[in-house]
Every structure is written in C-alpha cells, then in structure tokens.
Amino acid sequence: MPDREHCLALDAADPLREFRDEFVLPEGIVYLVGNSLGALPRRTAERVRQAVEDEWGRELVGGWNHAGWYTQPLTLGDRLAPLIGAGPGQVVVGNTTSVAIHQAVSAALRLRPDRRVIVSDAANFPTDHYIVQGLARTLGGYEVRDLAEGRFDDAAVVLLSEVDYRTGARQDVPEVTARVHAAGALIVWDLCHSVGAMEVDVSGADFAVGCTYKYLNAGPGAPAFLYVNPRHLADAENALSGWNGHAEPFAFEPDYRPAEGIRRFAVGTPHVLSFAALDAALDIWERVPMARVRAKSMALTSLFLDLVGDRLEVASPREPERRGSQVSLRHPDGYPVMRALIERGVHGDFRAPDILRFGFAPLYTRYVDVHDAAATLAEVLDKELWRDERYARRLPVT
Ligand SMILES: *Cc1c(COP(=O)(O)O)cnc(C)c1O
C-alpha cells in the first residue's frame, strides 16, 4: 500500500506539478470538488479587474467594440474548441448548460422531423432530463424514452453524458455515437464531467454541450458552451432565436434571419464579466498536455480506490479507462460521513441517496492529497466520528 512518503515522491515526479501554482488553494484543505466548482486560477482576479476597471470603467459602452466584448462568444468558443476535439467556428460560448441542451435538442428535432422520440438517460444530471421533458411538453406529440429501454431505432435524438455525474462511469463516445447514427438518430453529448478531465473528441457527434465552471475552472456561474458539427451548420435552427444570433443584429429588422455558421446559436447579450474569468482559465488550458491530464487522473482515482480498499462499496467502475476523474463510494449514512470529512478539511460532496463523491482535478490535486483524504475517511469510518449529531443537520448545498 503506497504510504505518504511514496505519494510525496509521486508528486515530485509529476509532470503536471507546476500547474498547481496556477491556483489559489487555501492552506490545510484537500479540495476534491473540482468536478463541481473548479478552483480559482491566480490570474483570474487580475483579468476580471481589467474587464471591470479598464474595459467597463474606461470604455463604457465602447467596450463592445474596443474590448472585443461583442465577438467573445465566438472567440472564446474557438479557444475552447481544441479541448473537445472541435475546430474553429464550431463552438459558441454563453448561457447555461441547461439552455444549451434546449438549443441542441430542439435543433436536432428539427433535423429529424419525421421522428417523435427523444431518448434521454433518467440517471443523467436532472437538468438534462428536465429540459427534455419540458421541451416534449411544449412541442406536444413527443415521447421521452429512458435510455435504459435501450431502443434508438425510431429516435430523433439521443441525449447522453460522456461521464455520469453520480457514478463517474464513462461512455465510449465513438461507439455510442456510431450506434445512434446507425439507428438514424442524432446525438447530443453532455461533456460537463469530461471536459478538462480527459481528452474529449466530439468531432463525430452532432451536437455537444458543457459547462466551464467544473474542471475548466472558469468560476461560479461561468458560461456554458455549445458545439454544432459543421455538417449541420447550414440547416440547424436555433429555437431561441434571439437578436445576437440574427444575421444583422444592428439592422433591427422586424423578422429573424439566422446568422451564417455557429453565430446563429448565440442568443442575447454576452456575459462579459463571466467571460473574463473564462478567458483567464483558458490561458492555462492552452498550455496543458491533455494526455498527461488523463494519465494522472487515472492514477489518482486508482490510488484512492487502492487506499480505500474494501471499507466502502464502490459505485464507480473499477477499470480506470471506464471512469471519469471521480470516485463515488456508497454509505447509507453518506451525508453525515461527508460532513465529518469536510470538518476535517477533506472536501468532497454528497449526492442522494447514498453517494460520497470525490473529484480529482489533475491540474491541482496531488498524490499526497489523495493519501490524506483516504486516511481521513478511514478515521471517520473506523472511529464512527460521523455519528456526532451535528453532522445530520442538512445544509442547503452539499
Ligand atoms: C453540472 C451539470 C449541468 C449544469 O447545468 P447548468 O445549466 O449549467 O446549471 C448540466 N448537466 C450535467 C451533466 C452536469 O453535470
């Protein structure tokens, strides 16, 4: 079993170790929630200050032209594109993942007008499934079928996550994409739990969406992204046909005419201040070797599983290739166990009914953090420290 010294040696030899210095990480905590809200990059505060004071403060409304605000949904999309295997002119940034799902699924439905079935995974992050349910209700005449039924043959569109938020199980994107296409359906991939944690390649998919505040570290409320395969760009329609997706927004015409290319998927006024934080986060990603990120991610999650041993039931796949960058463990009293861990400086989170989630963001998580988290978990369980009644009280966000 690797001891603490061994983990320190692994950190010293880690080819990604310099990236940890890019982040502000409070002393004395092990942060394993980068899959929910990524850590703050050091460069972000200055970049946001610039956007506020130098751009907004000095340029005022001129910032739309002089500070590049107006084109940021596309320029930032182009910078993000390599992280998902996409090219320039294929990704637009803005809104939330929920909104991007609505846009992608409605566009896919319009491209398959003869079909009336939307396949969605009831075990997916709820917003994905909720958005699809709402869309089916609004449109009328559509059936939402659970992925578990396993039938795509009459589906218009299939919406799936590459990595399951609860268990960390990873789908085989090329294999599933090929299966969906063979059935004549289109696929929308949700990349929230894979982008920034591994090499992602959606170039064979029809649409993809994801958020930038998890592994990408763009901050709370950071904008989402939407990818549209270039083969659909001429025909795909944006159901949220706002003025920023119009061919000539400043012509103020009475009728909507879609812009050429990915810009038609822009909706309204860009989130300039949030974009500044995304811009800073992408400065880091441009230097990151993703193959190393994936290798370290698999090493970290495997190490954690080794150290936890058979203390708890493991909800994540055992084979590292089939996992995202998280480990999920089950405990019937998972909530107080997680509260007890957090009080001892080990930050994971809890997902009902019984899942303890530990996310390992490879840019700033060290092997020694994995060691310390597993040791604290062992102590909390072995000494039953979680039974203290103060851990049973629920907080609004866990
Ligand atoms: C985090 C997450 C979201 C978040 O949706 P928002 O609209 O950005 O709040 C959506 N889907 C999945 C799979 C997620 O993990």
Side-chain angles (χ1 to χ4, degrees), residues 123-205:
N124 201 344
F125 189 81
T127 206
D128 296 53
H129 208 53
Y130 297 164
I131 290 284
V132 159
Q133 289 170 340
L135 194 52
R137 265 199 311 277
T138 321
L139 294 172
Y142 281 89
E143 175 198 341
V144 178
R145 183 184 297 151
D146 184 14
L147 177 73
E149 289 184 36
R151 274 184 52 221
F152 303 150
D153 51 322
D154 55 350
V157 53
V158 178
L159 168 66
L160 272 182
S161 278
E162 179 168 18
V163 172
D164 184 283
Y165 81 107
R166 197 184 268 126
T167 63
R170 181 188 181 204
Q171 297 279 348
D172 182 335
V173 168
E175 189 268 326
V176 176
T177 300
R179 213 146 36 88
V180 169
H181 285 166
L186 299 177
I187 186 135
V188 178
W189 282 107
D190 185 327
L191 309 173
C192 280
H193 283 274
S194 48
V195 65
M198 60 185 67
E199 292 162 295
V200 172
D201 183 2
V202 288
S203 56

Side-chain angles (χ1 to χ4, degrees), residues 184-256:
L186 299 177
I187 186 135
V188 178
W189 282 107
D190 185 327
L191 309 173
C192 280
H193 283 274
S194 48
V195 65
M198 60 185 67
E199 292 162 295
V200 172
D201 183 2
V202 288
S203 56
D206 300 290
F207 299 87
V209 301
C211 58
T212 62
Y213 51 78
K214 291 174 181 163
Y215 291 102
L216 294 188
N217 312 310
F225 61 86
L226 169 63
Y227 159 83
V228 181
N229 191 300
R231 69 175 167 266
H232 296 309
L233 273 177
D235 300 322
E237 291 178 32
N238 183 1
L240 302 178
S241 44
W243 73 303
N244 270 31
H246 191 280
E248 289 185 79
F250 287 92
F252 296 109
E253 293 173 6
D255 292 317
Y256 180 78

Side-chain angles (χ1 to χ4, degrees), residues 307-345:
L307 292 170
V308 170
D310 53 10
R311 265 198 178 80
L312 289 178
E313 185 188 334
V314 178
S316 302
R318 287 285 184 179
E319 309 89 312
E321 292 75 19
R322 294 198 47 237
R323 277 200 302 270
S325 205
Q326 78 184 57
V327 170
S328 302
L329 305 172
R330 289 186 198 279
H331 188 289
D333 290 291
Y335 184 80
V337 171
M338 184 50 74
R339 291 284 308 280
L341 277 173
I342 292 172
E343 198 174 278
R344 285 161 183 78

Side-chain angles (χ1 to χ4, degrees), residues 32 303-304 307-308 311 346 369-379:
L32 303 179
L303 173 63
F304 187 66
L307 292 170
V308 170
R311 265 198 178 80
V346 176
D369 295 326
V370 176
H371 176 276
D372 293 350
T376 307
L377 176 62
E379 190 191 7

